[in-house]
């Protein structure tokens, strides 16, 4: 197995090297996506199936699609490299030397690092029964360190606002025109893959309570379903969002905050769940989070305030 | 003298390459790629730390990585929207007058 | 009840921002007002509670560290929250007119600003290394869209560069956090210190990653390159928030880490290096500020310079330097917000902010220019202002520790500040107008001029209120130096 | 049995590396996107083997996600949202 790990690690390094130095921007993006595949594999090897799922769905999957679509939307995307050459040779050498030194130091440190036995994580594993779910990562995300997760939902919301304010939608509002490039395959893809993605996404959210999965992985897959619909022209960007869509966007963060504030007088601490109700509250929060994540990621992809079904 | 963990070397290489790309590349989209490479190096470091804890993978770094991935992707998505706007404008001015 | 206040200080503004976002394009005028008043009220409540009973701790979810995340309101956190309440409250008043309710982007401004307010308070209260990373990202990702509000076509390049540097800085910080967790098995600020100190080279590298990441975020020279365009290009209310509060949040974290978990690692040479960066920032920023042709860029480069003063704490690290650095943060925050709001009024009235064409404004914009001048007194460090007290404390610290070279930097920084402030005032007041200025906008109404004036007066008032504020701050945390 | 699976996984990861040559050589964009598809398929196969080797059924989910997103990436390559730039 060490040989397998070695080849895997070597491939990751080669891919990362090509990704940052590729002569062609498109090549860099392709290599980045493939590197995502390899990373997910290596994380699976490192006993982190949750993270392999997240990398597959968010890191390589959705981000890869977004990178490709953005590249295609760039004006004159073929001559990006001519217009933006890398830094001068002297800078490159200096940066190269500095980064090699940095890498060697980090490698030496990581080689010598010995985490100790009474880490916070051991504590988390030991008190799992109090957390309400069997899956340790979910317990940390939604109970022990739920505050981080809550703030992270705020990050997602603000990133969305920022993307909207740039006003460069990937899915423009104009009426859908059939420009004759519709392949007969497109309806098939839309009707086959959307339900599959929805099903798998919902399953992953629910599975998060007892096995790998959770709101983020599931939400990303659900968002992927929306992306397929947009790509296949079944959904379209809209300049305005209805109240329902905005409600879904903030559902996760709002339910989270309100639940937390409600616990303040009841249990004496923000987000301290009352014993006995921990599991149902966490599942409810998880589904709300997944919904908001799915809608946010979809709108981050389209870059529009809302989406609508095109009129035909 | 133990054999170094190949993934530890990979994590260090990702950090170094991400840093190199960030310094050297001028294209905004490439910089975002380099930042993400660096981020993956950080995430791999955290996963290694989690794995080395005696008594099983430590869920806290795993949760940190999950949070980190979502933050990195949302920030990158916002960055990509900015890149589209930036390059569209640069194109109107015939490009190349930035940096 | 008191132990709930830290939670309220974070979530009252944050939730208000989320509600504003949900309301969509409509802005109901009383909602931002209500939210701002409520936030200022809970911030004051926290201040009085801490002043009366000492620090407050709140364990999120009822889980104690190292398992859970703690919010800790100590003296340093409380004075920063108080600063945010004062600057934020007055900027909100300004923004009510400037962004109002008619502007189509008003809803985004209020949603982002209220969430940013909550995020800043969350950052100040956080006592957990990873939670600090999340709050840093929250603050950044709220600040960048706010920059875009000036119109994406004008500020997108600045915003993009800001984003790249901020992202890289916070990931570097996170790399340090990862190593720290590997060493200490904990993320709580109060618990990781010993492991970092005993961590040998790993501890040192972890500390370096965190410190350098924060230096990038704080736009400390030579990582300042993203700051002037972003702060200079944003709408006035946003520039005020960014310069007075957002960059200071990263410097705040530097102070917090240096006097907390990193205290055992502080090496004399590294401390001198930090001080040298601060000195370079003071000199470079001031000279650049003097050379700028646009008023808002003068003020933005002045921020680069003024942040340098807070870094002078590191080489001196005595009680007076501690008080001086934090007090400098407070008085600069108030004064800089006043300068940006005043500059914003000039921009509204003239339609441009070219320094050379500021002639003949003393009649029509007298209140705003007066605010600019008064705030300038504090920036220059002249008595009787908050800036003076801060510089005086730093000066005494430099003499006490026998590091006279920092005194030289302090004095030349003050002279350079005088040069760039007076350059602006000379054009505005002293040169007789050849002809009435060509204006494009209305004279800003009093509701836009008054917040700037109040902030400027507060910057002066800080010269008289040092004793209670420094008592609230408390002495230098133990184990530093 | 496990030994065989390990060998197979090792072989697959080496094939993966060979597939990367196509990405490097190109020459057209379509070649490159096809090699993404190829590496996706290989990754799925490796994951299936790994889930047997380390006895971690959760890796099957990961494989499932890869299959789904490989399709999404293929669609994204051939299509822009309508009215695109």
């Amino acid at each position: 197995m060490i040989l397998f790990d070695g080849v895997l690690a070597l491939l990751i390094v080669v891919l990362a090297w090509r990704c940052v130095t590729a002569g062609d921007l498109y090549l860099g993006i392709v290599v980045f996506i493939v590197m995502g595949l390899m990373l997910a594999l290596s994380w699976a090897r490192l006993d982190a199936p949750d993270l392999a799922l997240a990398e597959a769905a968010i890191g390589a999957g959705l981000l890869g699609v977004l990178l490709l679509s953005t590249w295609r939307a760039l004006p004159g995307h073929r001559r990006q490299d001519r217009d933006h050459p890398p830094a001068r040779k002297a800078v490159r050498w200096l940066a190269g030397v500095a980064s090699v030194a940095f890498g060697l130091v980090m490698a030496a440190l990581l080689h010598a690092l010995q985490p100790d036995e009474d880490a916070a994580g051991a504590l988390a594993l030991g008190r799992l029964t109090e957390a309400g779910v069997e899956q340790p990562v979910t317990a940390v995300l939604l109970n022990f360190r739920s505050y981080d997760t809550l703030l992270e939902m705020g990050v997602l919301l603000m990133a969305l606002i920022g993307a909207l304010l740039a006003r460069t939608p990937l899915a423009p509002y104009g009426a859908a025109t059939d420009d004759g490039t519709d392949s007969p395959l497109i309806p098939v893809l839309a009707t086959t893959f959307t339900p599959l993605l929805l099903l798998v996404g919902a399953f992953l959210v629910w599975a998060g309570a007892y096995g790998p999965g959770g709101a983020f992985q599931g939400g990303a897959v659900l968002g992927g379903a929306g992306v397929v619909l947009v790509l296949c022209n079944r959904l379209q960007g809209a300049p305005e969002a209805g109240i329902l869509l905005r409600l879904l966007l903030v559902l996760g963060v709002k339910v989270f905050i309100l639940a937390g504030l409600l616990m303040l007088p009841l249990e004496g601490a923000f987000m301290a769940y009352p014993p006995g109700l921990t599991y149902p509250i966490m599942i409810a929060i998880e589904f709300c989070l997944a919904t908001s994540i799915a809608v946010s990621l979809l709108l981050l992809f389209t870059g529009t305030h809302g989406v609508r079904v095109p009129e035909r | 003298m133990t054999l170094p963990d190949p993934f530890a070397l990979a994590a260090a290489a990702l950090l170094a390459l991400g840093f190199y790309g960030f310094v050297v590349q001028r294209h905004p989209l490439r910089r975002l790629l380099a930042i993400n490479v660096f981020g993956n190096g950080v995430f791999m470091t955290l996963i290694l730390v989690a794995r080395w804890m005696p008594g099983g993978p430590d869920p806290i770094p795993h949760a940190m990585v999950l949070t980190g991935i979502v933050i990195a992707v949302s920030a990158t998505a916002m960055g990509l929207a900015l890149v589209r706007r930036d390059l569209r404008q640069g194109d109107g001015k015939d490009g190349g007058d930035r940096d | 009840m008191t132990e709930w206040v830290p939670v309220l200080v974070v979530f009252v503004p944050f939730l208000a921002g989320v509600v504003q976002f949900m309301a969509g394009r409509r802005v109901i005028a009383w909602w931002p007002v209500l939210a701002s008043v409520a936030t200022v009220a809970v911030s004051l409540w926290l201040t009085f509670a801490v002043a009366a009973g000492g620090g407050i701790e709140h364990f999120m979810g009822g889980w104690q560290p190292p398992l859970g995340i703690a919010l800790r309101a100590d003296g340093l956190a409380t004075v920063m929250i108080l600063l945010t309440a004062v600057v934020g409250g007055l900027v909100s008043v300004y923004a009510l007119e400037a962004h109002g309710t008619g502007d189509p982007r008003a809803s985004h401004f209020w949603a982002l600003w209220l969430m940013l307010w909550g995020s800043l308070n969350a950052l100040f209260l956080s006592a957990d290394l990873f939670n600090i990373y999340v709050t840093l990202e929250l603050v950044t990702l709220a600040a960048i869209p706010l920059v875009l509000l000036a119109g994406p076509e004008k500020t997108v390049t600045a915003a993009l560069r800001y984003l790249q540097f901020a992202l890289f800085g916070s990931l570097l910080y996170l790399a340090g956090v990862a190593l720290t967790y590997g060493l200490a098995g904990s993320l709580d600020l109060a618990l990781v210190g010993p492991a970092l100190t005993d961590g040998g080279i790993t501890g040192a590298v972890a500390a370096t990653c965190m410190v350098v990441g924060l230096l990038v975020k704080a736009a400390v020279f030579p990582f300042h390159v993203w700051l002037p365009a972003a702060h200079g290009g944003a709408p006035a209310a946003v520039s005020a928030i960014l310069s007075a509060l957002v960059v200071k949040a990263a410097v705040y974290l530097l102070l917090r880490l240096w006097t907390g978990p990193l205290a055992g690692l502080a090496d004399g040479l590294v401390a001198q290096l930090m001080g040298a960066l601060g000195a370079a920032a003071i000199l470079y920023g001031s000279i650049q500020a003097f050379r700028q042709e646009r008023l808002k860029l003068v003020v933005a480069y002045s921020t680069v310079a003024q942040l340098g003063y807070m870094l002078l704490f590191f080489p001196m690290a005595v009680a007076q330097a501690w008080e001086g650095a934090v007090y400098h943060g407070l008085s600069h925050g108030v004064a800089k917000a006043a300068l940006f709001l005043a500059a914003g009024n000039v921009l509204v009235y003239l339609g441009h902010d070219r320094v050379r064409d500021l002639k003949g404004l003393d009649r029509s914009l007298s209140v705003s220019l007066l605010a600019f001048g008064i705030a300038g007194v504090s920036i220059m460090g002249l008595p009787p202002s908050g800036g003076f007290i801060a510089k005086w404390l730093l000066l005494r610290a430099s003499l006490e520790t026998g590091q006279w070279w920092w005194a030289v930097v302090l004095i030349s920084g003050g002279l350079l500040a005088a040069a760039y402030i007076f350059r602006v005032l000379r054009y505005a007041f002293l040169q007789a107008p050849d002809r009435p200025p060509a204006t494009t906008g209305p004279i800003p109404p009093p509701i836009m001029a008054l917040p700037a004036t109040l902030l400027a007066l507060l910057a002066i008032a800080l010269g008289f209120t040092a004793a209670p504020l420094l008592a609230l701050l408390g002495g230098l945390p133990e184990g530093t130096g | 049995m496990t030994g065989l699976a390990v060998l197979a996984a090792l072989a697959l990861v080496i094939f993966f590396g060979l597939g990367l040559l196509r990405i490097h050589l190109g020459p057209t964009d379509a070649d490159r996107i096809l090699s993404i598809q190829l590496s996706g398929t290989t990754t799925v196969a490796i994951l299936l083997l790994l889930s047997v080797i380390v006895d971690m059924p959760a890796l099957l989910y990961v494989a499932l996600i890869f299959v789904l997103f490989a399709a999404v990436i293929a669609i994204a390559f051939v299509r822009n949202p309508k009215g695109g730039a």
Side-chain angles (χ1 to χ4, degrees):
Chain A
M1 233 31 220
I2 180 77
L3 206 58
F4 176 81
D5 290 351
V7 176
L8 195 55
L10 184 72
L11 281 177
I12 288 174
V13 176
V14 171
L15 285 167
W17 175 61
R18 290 304 297 155
C19 176
V20 296
T21 59
D24 169 31
L25 177 58
Y26 173 73
L27 181 58
I29 293 173
V30 166
V31 169
F32 182 79
I33 296 173
V34 178
M35 188 179 75
L37 302 178
M38 291 282 92
L39 281 171
L41 264 183
S42 68
W43 295 355
R45 274 292 296 140
L46 293 171
D47 306 328
D50 283 282
L51 304 176
L53 268 177
E55 176 67 25
I58 315 178
L62 273 185
L63 187 57
V65 174
L66 185 58
L67 282 166
L68 272 179
S69 297
T70 293
W71 177 77
R72 288 189 56 147
L74 293 184
H77 50 243
R78 293 282 162 208
R79 52 187 172 77
Q80 291 298 331
D81 302 294
R82 206 195 58 213
D83 288 352
H84 299 265
R88 273 167 295 140
K89 204 165 187 181
V91 179
R92 288 212 298 270
W93 272 100
L94 220 62
V97 171
S99 53
V100 166
F102 176 57
L104 288 177
V105 169
M106 289 309 278
L109 290 187
L110 286 178
H111 182 55
L113 197 63
Q114 288 296 335
D116 61 293
E117 239 162 283
D118 49 349
L123 213 58
L125 290 173
R127 301 182 68 169
L128 214 51
T129 43
E130 297 167 55
V133 286
E134 296 165 38
Q135 162 71 350
V137 180
T138 308
V140 173
L141 280 173
L142 292 183
N143 201 338
F144 299 133
R145 294 180 68 90
S146 53
Y147 179 50
D148 278 342
T149 312
L150 163 55
L151 294 182
E152 172 194 358
M153 294 303 294
V155 172
L156 197 56
L157 191 59
M158 289 179 193
L160 176 61
I161 300 178
L164 295 179
L165 286 174
R167 284 186 278 154
T168 44
L170 265 179
Y173 318 132
T177 48
D178 196 349
D179 55 3
T181 57
D182 260 351
S183 143
L185 207 56
I186 293 301
V188 181
L189 286 172
T191 46
T192 317
F193 275 95
T194 315
L196 270 177
L197 282 160
L198 286 175
L199 185 68
V200 172
F203 168 72
L204 282 180
V205 182
W206 174 70
Y210 59 86
F216 293 101
Q217 295 91 338
V221 177
L222 292 175
V227 169
V228 170
L229 287 179
V230 172
L231 287 171
C232 294
N233 217 12
R234 293 294 186 276
L235 274 179
Q236 197 183 27
E240 290 287 345
I243 181 74
L244 181 68
L245 195 66
R246 288 200 303 267
L247 202 66
L248 290 180
L249 270 176
V250 299
L251 184 68
V253 68
K254 263 197 132 161
V255 167
F256 224 140
I257 296 180
L258 291 178
L261 289 177
L262 191 68
M263 297 311 152
L264 208 51
L266 289 181
E267 298 290 318
F270 187 79
M271 303 287 320
Y273 307 120
L277 288 177
T278 311
Y279 180 74
I281 292 181
M282 280 168 74
I283 289 294
I285 288 181
E286 185 151 41
F287 268 95
C288 295
L289 287 182
T291 312
S292 295
I293 291 165
V295 180
S296 309
L297 289 175
L298 173 60
L299 292 183
L300 271 174
F301 175 77
T302 61
T304 56
H305 281 84
V307 285
R308 64 171 176 221
V309 180
E311 299 156 21
R312 289 181 172 271
Chain B
M1 183 63 205
T2 51
L3 211 60
D5 187 331
F7 292 115
L9 297 179
L14 285 175
L15 289 171
L17 286 165
F19 173 73
Y20 176 78
F22 181 76
V23 175
V24 164
Q25 294 294 350
R26 291 285 170 75
H27 191 288
L29 206 156
R30 280 168 174 264
R31 273 212 173 149
L32 286 177
L33 284 181
I35 290 169
N36 272 291
V37 170
F38 189 87
N40 282 326
V42 177
F43 299 152
M44 197 175 259
T45 307
L46 277 167
I47 294 174
L48 286 168
V49 167
R51 186 191 182 202
W52 292 334
M53 187 188 80
D58 183 342
I60 286 185
H62 283 187
M64 286 159 69
V65 172
L66 207 47
T67 307
I69 289 179
V70 175
I71 290 179
V73 169
S74 10
T76 308
M78 174 171 141
L80 289 175
L82 296 181
V83 168
R84 294 198 294 267
R85 159 67 68 170
D86 191 34
L87 293 181
R88 183 183 293 178
Q89 276 168 220
D91 200 54
K93 291 180 286 183
D94 220 27
D97 60 347
R98 253 165 284 100
D99 256 356
Chain C
M1 287 289 278
T2 323
E3 68 274 11
W4 301 351
V5 196
V7 178
L8 296 180
V9 165
V10 174
F11 284 111
V12 165
F14 198 85
L15 191 60
V18 173
V19 170
Q20 175 61 61
F21 175 78
M22 204 181 66
R25 299 242 164 132
R26 271 170 314 179
V27 180
I28 307 153
W30 52 265
W31 183 253
V33 176
L34 183 72
S36 306
V37 169
T39 310
V40 171
V42 286
S43 305
L44 291 178
W45 182 10
L46 178 80
T47 311
F48 287 120
V50 172
I56 305 173
E57 245 185 359
H58 188 100
F59 301 122
M60 295 310 244
W63 303 103
Q64 299 223 355
L67 186 53
I69 302 170
L71 297 186
R72 282 200 196 100
D74 58 1
L76 180 59
T78 308
V79 295
M80 294 306 288
I81 286 172
L82 185 63
L83 170 72
T84 310
V86 169
V87 173
L90 286 169
V91 169
S92 296
V93 173
Y94 178 90
L96 268 183
E97 179 63 30
H99 292 274
T101 48
D103 184 345
R105 297 196 205 110
S107 64
H108 283 141
F109 171 81
W110 286 109
L112 287 166
W113 159 228
L114 289 172
M115 282 197 272
L116 174 61
W117 199 341
S119 314
L120 281 166
N121 286 345
L123 185 146
F124 295 137
L125 289 169
S126 182
D128 181 280
L129 283 174
F130 185 70
N131 188 246
I132 286 174
Y133 164 76
V134 180
T135 54
L136 262 175
E137 290 295 50
L138 261 179
V139 167
T140 315
L141 287 188
I144 293 167
L146 279 170
V147 172
L148 285 179
L149 280 175
E153 61 284 352
K154 277 184 243 161
T155 48
V156 69
T157 312
L160 188 54
R161 184 179 267 225
Y162 184 5
L163 178 73
Q164 290 164 347
F165 275 85
L167 270 183
F168 191 75
S170 46
L171 281 171
L172 200 56
Y173 170 83
L174 187 59
V177 174
L179 290 177
T180 308
Y181 185 84
L183 276 175
S186 165
L187 295 163
D188 190 82
L189 290 184
L191 300 177
V192 297
L196 275 175
T197 312
D198 301 336
I201 181 116
T202 314
V205 172
T208 312
C209 285
M210 289 193 278
V211 167
V212 175
L214 289 174
L215 285 174
V216 174
K217 284 238 158 190
V220 168
F221 182 88
F223 308 114
H224 65 281
V225 286
W226 56 267
L227 185 141
H231 287 200
V238 174
S239 306
I241 295 164
L242 293 184
S243 261
L245 306 172
V246 169
V247 279
K248 209 144 292 158
V251 183
Y252 158 87
L253 288 177
L254 281 173
L255 288 176
R256 156 87 60 210
L257 292 184
W258 196 275
T259 57
L262 308 187
L265 288 166
D267 176 80
L269 195 66
V270 179
Q272 290 290 330
L273 187 68
M274 297 279 280
L277 285 181
I282 294 172
L283 300 177
Y284 172 85
S286 303
I287 291 169
Q288 286 295 326
F290 186 76
R291 295 178 51 199
Q292 294 307 310
E293 288 302 323
R294 286 189 41 220
L295 182 56
K296 287 190 77 180
L297 282 176
V298 172
V299 187
Y301 269 106
S302 158
T303 298
V304 174
Q306 297 285 317
L307 287 172
Y309 287 105
M310 293 181 77
L311 262 66
L312 293 185
F313 160 73
F314 298 107
M316 305 195 272
V318 290
Q320 278 172 338
W322 166 252
E323 294 177 341
V326 177
Y327 213 69
H328 190 273
L330 300 183
S331 53
H332 168 253
V334 176
K336 187 48 61 73
L339 289 183
F340 263 123
L341 294 188
N345 286 342
V346 170
L347 198 58
V348 167
Y349 180 57
L350 286 183
H352 72 81
D353 63 344
R354 289 187 298 279
V355 175
R356 283 174 198 285
D357 300 332
L358 292 182
K359 297 165 191 172
L361 292 179
D362 47 339
R363 301 253 164 81
S364 34
L365 281 182
S366 54
V367 184
S368 296
L369 284 177
L370 192 66
F372 195 94
I374 298 174
V377 170
S378 183
I379 295 286
M380 291 181 253
L382 295 179
S385 66
F388 169 71
I389 302 281
K391 286 197 181 120
W392 178 247
L393 287 165
L394 285 169
L395 206 59
R396 291 215 346 227
S398 78
L399 298 178
E400 185 189 319
T401 53
Q403 302 178 18
W404 52 268
W405 49 92
W406 303 126
V408 175
V409 172
L410 279 162
I411 292 169
S412 35
L415 290 175
L416 285 167
Y420 64 73
I421 296 281
F422 277 121
R423 173 168 169 263
V424 171
L425 294 178
R426 185 177 70 108
Y427 280 115
F429 280 112
L430 293 186
Q431 293 200 339
D434 339 328
R435 53 185 172 353
T439 62
T440 58
I443 295 181
I447 193 173
M448 287 171 80
L450 276 180
T453 319
L454 273 178
L455 282 164
L457 289 175
L458 273 173
I460 301 294
L462 278 172
F464 303 98
T465 55
L469 279 172
L470 290 177
L472 177 62
L473 169 67
L476 182 64
E478 276 174 43
T480 316
Chain D
M1 185 61 201
T2 317
L4 196 63
V6 171
L7 272 183
L10 188 62
L12 280 172
V13 82
I14 290 168
F15 293 154
F16 186 103
L18 292 177
L20 293 184
L21 280 179
R22 195 74 270 171
I23 294 188
H24 179 69
L25 296 174
T28 69
D29 293 347
D31 289 319
R32 294 190 167 135
I33 214 74
L34 275 178
S35 55
I36 288 191
Q37 299 298 318
L38 174 66
S39 22
T41 317
T42 319
T43 310
V44 169
I46 297 173
L47 276 168
L48 296 179
L49 286 168
L50 269 185
S51 80
V52 176
I53 296 167
V54 297
D55 192 24
M56 202 186 269
L59 297 186
L60 298 179
Y61 302 165
V62 185
L64 186 60
I65 301 294
F66 270 130
V67 173
L68 289 173
F69 271 97
V72 183
I73 283 180
I75 302 174
F77 176 71
V78 290
R79 285 184 68 86
N80 260 356
K82 273 290 161 55

